[in-house]
Amino acid sequence: MTANGWFQIGLFVAVLFLITKPLGIFLVRVFERQKTWPDFLLRPVEKLIYRLTAVDETREMRWTEYGVAILAFSGVSMVLLYLMERVQVWLPFNPQKFANLAPDLAWNTAASFTTNTNWQAYVPETTMSYLTQMAGLAYHNFASAAVGIAMAIALVRGIARRESKTIGNFWVDLTRCFLWVLLPICLVVALVFVSQGVVQNLRPYAVAQVVQPQTISGTDASGHPTSKVVTQQIIATGPVASQEAIKMFGTNGGGFFNANSAHPFENPTPFTNFLQIILIFAIPSALTYTLGRMTHAPRHGWAVWAAMLALFLVAVTTAYWAEARGNPLLVGINQQASATNPGGNMEGKEVRFGIANSALFATVTTDASCGAINGWHDSFTPLGGLVPLVNILLGEVVFGGVGSGLYGMLVFVILAVFLAGLMVGRTPEYLGKKIEAYDVKMAALAILIFPLTVLLLSAVSTVSGFGTSSISNPGPHGLSQILYAFTSSAGNNGSAFAGLNANTPWYNASTGIATLLGRFFAVIPILAIAGNLAAKKHVPQSAGTFPVTTPLFTGLLISTVVIVGALTFFPALSLGPILEHLLMLAGRSF
C-alpha cells in the first residue's frame, strides 16, 4: 500500500461528499415538482409526452397501482428487447452482420438488462449489433435505472407523508427521471468521454494490417493439426461513449466490450477511470440527502450516509490490503511496490490503473449494483475476491444501485428501529411513524428473497454436472465462481468472477430467473411498506423514541446489515474464499 494509493481513495471520498448535497437537493426539486433551471426546456417536452400517452400528471396512485405499473412497464420492455435480439440480423445498423441470439441467451440478456443487472454471458463486440446495443441495451440502462429511482422516491414519500392513500404517480416519476436526471447528465458525460478518447461512431469495425504476421497452430474437428497465418486484426469500435455514460451513472455495468472498463476504448485515461467510479456512487449517495430533505430530517439522511460510508471504507481497505500484500505462492517474484514496480498481486489488473484503483473500482462497483470492472475479480487473491462477493451479499445497500440501494437500506433501517424498540420495550417509531408487525413482515420478506434465491440455485449448481462443468478451477475457487454468479444475478450487480462459462442453457436460464426474483419480488413488499407508512398518523417524539440521527443509530444500522447480510452466507463463504485463503497460506492454489 502506498501514500499515492491512499490519496486517490481519499480524493474519491472527498469528491463524493461534495456532490452529495447539491445533487440530493436537485433530486428533491425534480420529484417534488419544484422549480428547476431546465424547466423552460423540459416542461414542454414532458407535457407532450403526457398528452401522447394519455397520462394525467395530477393523478396519484395507491401503492398497488404503482407496483402494477412498474411490473407492466418492465415486462413489456423485456419482451421487446427479447424480440429485438432474436431478429437483429434483419434489422438495420448491423454492419458486422451479427446473427440472431439463441433463445436462452436472448432470454438471459433481456431479463438481465430489464432488472438493471446487465449480466453478460456473451462477448458484446462479437454478438450485439449497433441497433441492439443502442435501442435495446442502452435504452434499458436508462429505463431500469429510472424504475429503481422511482421506487426509492415512492418509499421516501411513504415515510414522509401522513394519512395519505397515495405515494405518487409512477409514469410522472419515470418521465421526470428520464428528462431531468439521466438524459442531461449522460449527454454531458458522453461528450467528456469522447474528449478523452472513448470511441463513438457507427462505422464498420476497422481492419488493421499487423506488423508481424502470426502463425496460429491448432487442431480441426477430426484432430488433425492445422495452422493459420494471421495478417490482419479486426478492431471493434461503435457507439461506446453514449452507452458508457449511462452504464456508470445508472449503475448498470454492462460494457460495450467484453473487457469492460479495462478496455482503453471504454476507459482510456486515469481521469475517465476516476469519473466512472464517481458516476457509479453519485445518485445512490445523493439519494440519502434526498431522504433527509423530503422527510424533514436531514441529520437522519447523513446518518444513513455515514453507515454506508463506514461499510465502504472497511471493504476498500480490506481489498487494497489483500491485493497490495500480494500472493505468497509467487516465489521469486518481487511484489514490493517501488518507483518502477507496482507491487502486489498484479494478475488480472489493468497496468494503467494498478492495485489501488483496481481495489477501489472493484469495491465501488460491487457496493453499488453496477458490475462494471477494470480488473478481473477472478484473479484477485482469495480475500481480495471475498470483498466484492461480500459487498453484494450484504444486499447491495452500501450506497447500492440507483434507487435500489436506498430502498434496500431503508428496509434494514426498519429492522434496526424494530430491534431498538425491542431493547427499550416499546413500540418502535421511525420518523414519527409507528413500526408495526405488518411493516416488519414486509421488510423481512424483502430481505429473505435474496438469500433464498442465491443459496438454492448455488446448491443445485454445485451438485449437478450441468453446473460444475462450467467452472474453470476446482475446489473452493470453483465454489466461489458459482456462488458469485448467483449472488451477482440475484443482487442485480452483473459482475462476474469471469472464470465461469455462463453461456450454457442452465446458467442462462437460472441466472435470468435469479435477476427477476432479486428485482421484482422485492417490489411488492417494499411498496407495501411505502403505502402502509403513508397512511399512518404522525406520532410526536417522546422520551422513549429511539433517535435515528445519532452515531448510535448508525452503529446499530451497520450491525443489522452485517448480521443479517453477512452471517446468512458465512457457511458458504467459509467453504469458498475463506478456505481458499487458508489453503493458499499452506502452499496450495486452484
Side-chain angles (χ1 to χ4, degrees), residues 263-275:
H263 197 295
F265 286 177
E266 283 198 36
N267 190 11
T269 67
F271 173 71
T272 60
N273 188 73
F274 185 80
L275 178 58

Side-chain angles (χ1 to χ4, degrees), residues 33-375:
R33 310 196 70 179
Q34 300 171 10
K35 186 177 181 180
T36 62
W37 65 266
D39 283 1
F40 75 99
L41 287 175
L42 300 180
R43 272 296 288 165
V45 178
E46 181 187 24
K47 290 180 179 179
L48 177 62
I49 292 173
Y50 296 150
R51 188 174 298 114
L52 294 175
T53 56
V55 170
D56 181 1
E57 62 178 312
T58 63
R59 177 181 173 275
E60 292 205 341
M61 300 176 174
R62 296 174 180 265
W63 75 264
T64 50
E65 189 178 358
Y66 203 101
V68 169
I70 288 177
L71 296 176
F73 173 77
S74 300
V76 172
S77 299
M78 177 178 166
V79 171
L80 292 176
L81 176 57
Y82 175 83
L83 294 175
M84 182 180 294
E85 293 169 329
R86 295 287 289 133
V87 299
Q88 73 170 8
V89 72
W90 300 296
L91 297 176
F93 296 105
N94 187 7
Q96 303 306 123
K97 306 301 180 185
F98 289 141
N100 300 328
L101 272 66
D104 60 316
L105 181 59
W107 141 261
N108 179 277
T109 306
S112 174
F113 277 78
T114 301
T115 57
N116 200 243
T117 307
N118 305 87
W119 172 269
Q120 293 173 296
Y122 57 90
V123 178
E125 64 265 41
T126 62
T127 306
M128 297 295 183
S129 70
Y130 289 165
L131 183 67
T132 304
Q133 291 272 19
M134 295 184 297
L137 306 186
Y139 160 76
H140 276 271
N141 287 351
F142 282 96
S144 61
V147 168
I149 295 171
M151 275 191 62
I153 294 298
L155 179 55
V156 173
R157 285 198 192 104
I159 297 169
R161 291 182 176 183
R162 305 176 184 179
E163 300 181 72
S164 173
K165 296 180 180 180
T166 60
I167 56 172
N169 185 313
F170 170 71
W171 305 114
V172 173
D173 292 339
L174 185 76
T175 303
R176 294 185 72 83
C177 190
F178 264 102
L179 294 180
W180 268 262
V181 181
L182 299 178
L183 283 170
I185 295 178
C186 286
L187 176 61
V188 174
V189 169
L191 294 175
V192 172
F193 281 153
V194 170
S195 75
Q196 294 295 301
V198 179
V199 298
Q200 180 75 17
N201 61 57
L202 294 174
R203 294 193 298 267
Y205 290 174
V207 178
Q209 301 295 323
V210 300
V211 176
Q212 295 180 332
Q214 302 290 319
T215 301
I216 300 177
S217 301
T219 56
D220 59 19
S222 59
H224 297 104
T226 62
S227 63
K228 179 182 179 181
V229 178
V230 177
T231 61
Q232 294 181 332
Q233 179 183 3
I234 298 176
I235 302 176
T237 60
V240 181
S242 56
Q243 185 166 324
E244 193 71 16
I246 187 59
K247 159 192 162 184
M248 297 302 184
F249 194 51
T251 63
N252 294 282
F256 190 94
F257 299 101
N258 192 46
N260 209 279
S261 287
H263 197 295
F265 286 177
E266 283 198 36
N267 190 11
T269 67
F271 173 71
T272 60
N273 188 73
F274 185 80
L275 178 58
Q276 286 183 11
I277 54 178
I278 286 292
L279 287 170
I280 293 172
F281 266 10
I283 292 179
S285 179
L287 280 171
T288 61
Y289 190 83
T290 301
L291 164 69
R293 189 70 170 253
M294 289 180 66
T295 57
H296 306 289
R299 291 179 59 194
H300 172 61
W302 285 118
V304 174
W305 188 86
M308 293 177 172
L309 181 67
L311 290 168
F312 162 75
L313 291 175
V314 170
V316 73
T317 300
T318 303
Y320 188 21
W321 170 82
E323 296 307 300
R325 185 167 176 258
N327 188 334
L329 299 183
L330 299 177
V331 180
I333 297 177
N334 181 10
Q335 298 184 63
Q336 295 298 316
S338 67
T340 58
N341 183 17
N345 173 39
M346 281 299 293
E347 180 189 350
K349 309 295 190 304
E350 169 55 58
V351 294
R352 295 174 297 151
F353 307 130
I355 295 292
N357 273 297
S358 295
L360 177 59
F361 204 112
T363 303
V364 169
T365 197
T366 51
D367 274 337
S369 62
C370 184
I373 56 169
N374 75 352

